[in-house]
Amino acid sequence: APAIAGFWVMAAGLFYLVKSRAGVLAAFSAAALPVSTAAFRYAIEARGYGLMLGFFTLALVSWSEAARGRRRALHVPLLALWIAAGLWNQFYGVLVLLPIGAGEVVRIVRTRKVDVAVWGAIAAGLLLAGPLVPNARLASGYSATYWRRASSNDFTAVYAFLFEPLRDKRFVLALSFLAPLVIVGTTMRKTQIGR
């Protein structure tokens, strides 16, 4: 049940993130996309990845809202909480720092200011996961006996695994139908906002 909940929290978070920027149709498309990828298996496996996807998305939503200046007093602490929760759930939760860090770098370039509160929340999230460091060190001691060593060549294989279902003819057909609708809907929305 936690994996299913995490996966659907991810879908709801994607819907929320996209809806305010591109409209309802694009938001539904974004929320439905993970169901079409290999990530959907994490909704039904009794492993920590589904829940991690939920925490990952909650961290992105909190960061996005804080960066937009919306209820910062709520979203900045939530950012720290979701980062920590993701790390406590699965070490791969650290990957949420990549898009958030990249987004913050873009914000620094645009505004020429560092958002100290957001960077503090990122640091606080990492500090809240501090008690996990001994476990990570212990686990790394077993790296010589892992069933397989990771390498930089694995990036291609991982993305091929995750997105292989998107090559299915049914998905391509649905995309060819939905893409023009999303583009027209987004264009109309921008036109109405511009008036």
Side-chain angles (χ1 to χ4, degrees):
I4 294 170
F7 190 85
W8 291 114
V9 163
M10 177 188 61
L14 290 173
F15 180 87
Y16 179 82
L17 283 170
V18 175
K19 182 179 177 284
S20 65
R21 292 164 176 83
V24 174
L25 188 58
F28 274 123
S29 300
L33 183 65
V35 175
S36 304
T37 69
F40 185 63
R41 74 184 326 175
Y42 300 128
I44 56 174
E45 286 185 0
R47 299 167 74 185
Y49 301 122
L51 193 55
M52 183 193 65
L53 290 171
F55 289 138
F56 191 104
T57 306
L58 288 170
L60 286 177
V61 168
S62 294
W63 169 75
S64 174
E65 293 298 291
R68 294 174 89 180
R70 293 183 174 173
R71 296 172 52 193
R72 285 178 60 88
L74 172 67
H75 291 291
V76 169
L78 283 177
L79 174 59
L81 175 71
W82 299 133
I83 289 171
L87 288 167
W88 276 91
N89 177 70
Q90 170 56 250
F91 287 135
Y92 286 132
V94 75
L95 295 175
V96 77
L97 299 178
L98 295 175
I100 291 174
E104 279 304 299
V105 168
V106 168
R107 289 183 64 217
I108 290 170
V109 169
R110 282 186 179 170
T111 64
R112 303 199 188 283
K113 291 189 298 188
V114 174
D115 191 336
V116 176
V118 168
W119 285 104
I122 293 168
L126 292 172
L127 286 173
L128 287 170
L132 295 172
V133 171
N135 290 348
R137 285 190 182 133
L138 181 64
S140 70
Y142 295 108
S143 64
T145 59
Y146 286 161
W147 65 277
R148 184 178 183 294
R149 289 192 166 285
S151 75
S152 59
N153 295 334
D154 292 337
F155 282 111
T156 305
V158 167
Y159 282 104
F161 164 74
L162 283 175
F163 296 114
E164 178 66 29
L166 298 179
R167 294 177 57 196
D168 183 85
K169 290 178 185 175
R170 291 171 293 182
F171 178 79
V172 172
L173 181 63
L175 183 63
S176 64
F177 175 73
L178 282 176
L181 293 176
V182 169
I183 292 167
V184 168
T186 304
T187 305
M188 289 174 60
R189 179 179 166 84
K190 287 181 180 177
T191 304
Q192 290 173 350
I193 290 172
R195 290 181 184 176

